[in-house]
């Protein structure tokens, strides 16, 4: 996590009194959530971070980089969560386990990351330990960290943890649509139905409890919709990757074709010197 993995040398940041909260949408379905700052930024102590290392085009239209998420009090709470994790991972793990021991969480669901993602192996392992220590609580997530989940989660997942791989990241090509539970952001409900996918609009839990192909309607934020231009996240990300491949191929061809010319110039220069 670049410089963000180095503990602060100044005064310790205040620890959040509550780790789990409920935003408006999740409160309506009785789900609690854990939130980090979205994508990349700088903490008050000067450290930089990236909580979504595999983010692709999703960062261009991320709901967690808009609206109430940018309010100072909300931003400060999310940054305090991250600082706790970075500065004292074991202490954060103990605090999360202690909070989840409350009777109100029995049989309930926790969404891991209303924003942010499983940004490191150590952090992911801590979450797996928390889940195993609280088998009476159910956990779910969306993630773009497919490679990390293949290694650390899929071989032996906790019984109370379900997840969905979401398109729009740099690891999209590693998703297997024939076997993985996957989510894609669509322009609207109609496009989800036309594609034959199942929408999670009625309840976020449908992303992990409903059919395997999950459609998420895009947020109705005007400038986000303009950038989306009627595409699904998977389509937009594929376009970006194709453009990158084309640029790399163009650069490769130029380097190959320019090499003989460079050699001829060198040969002429050597001949002139010899004469």
């Amino acid at each position: 996590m670049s410089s963000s993995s180095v503990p602060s040398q100044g005064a310790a940041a205040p620890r959040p009194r509550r780790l789990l909260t409920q935003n408006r949408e999740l409160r309506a379905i009785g789900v609690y959530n854990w939130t980090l700052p979205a994508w990349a930024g700088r903490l008050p102590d000067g450290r930089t971070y990236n909580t979504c290392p595999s983010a692709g085009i999703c960062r261009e239209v991320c709901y967690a980089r808009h609206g109430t998420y940018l309010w100072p009090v909300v931003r400060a709470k999310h940054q305090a969560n991250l600082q706790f994790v970075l500065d004292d991972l074991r202490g954060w793990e103990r605090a999360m386990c202690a909070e989840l021991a409350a009777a109100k969480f029995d049989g309930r669901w926790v969404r891991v990351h209303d924003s942010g993602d499983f940004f490191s192996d150590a952090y992911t392992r801590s979450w797996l330990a928390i889940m195993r220590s609280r088998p009476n609580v159910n956990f779910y997530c969306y993630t773009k960290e497919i490679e990390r989940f293949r290694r650390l989660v899929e071989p032996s997942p906790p019984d109370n943890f379900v997840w969905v791989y979401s398109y729009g990241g740099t690891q999209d090509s590693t998703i297997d649509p024939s076997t993985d539970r996957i989510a894609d952001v669509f322009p609207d409900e109609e496009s989800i139905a036309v594609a034959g996918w199942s929408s999670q609009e009625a309840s976020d839990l449908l992303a992990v409890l409903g059919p395997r192909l999950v459609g998420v309607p895009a947020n109705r934020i005007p400038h986000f919709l303009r950038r989306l231009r009627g595409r699904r996240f998977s389509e937009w990300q594929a376009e970006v990757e194709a453009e990158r491949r084309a640029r790399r191929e163009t650069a490769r061809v130029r380097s190959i074709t320019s090499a003989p010319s460079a050699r001829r110039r060198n040969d002429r220069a050597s001949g002139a010197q010899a004469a």
Side-chain angles (χ1 to χ4, degrees), residues 196-216:
W197 288 42
S198 178
S199 174
Q200 55 69 269
E201 180 71 359
S203 170
D204 196 52
L205 285 172
L206 292 173
V208 289
L209 299 181
R212 189 174 54 80
L213 302 181
V214 182
V216 180

Side-chain angles (χ1 to χ4, degrees), residues 237-247:
Q237 186 67 41
E239 289 176 10
V240 169
E241 296 297 337
E243 291 169 0
R244 287 174 179 163
R245 287 193 298 270
R247 288 195 297 269

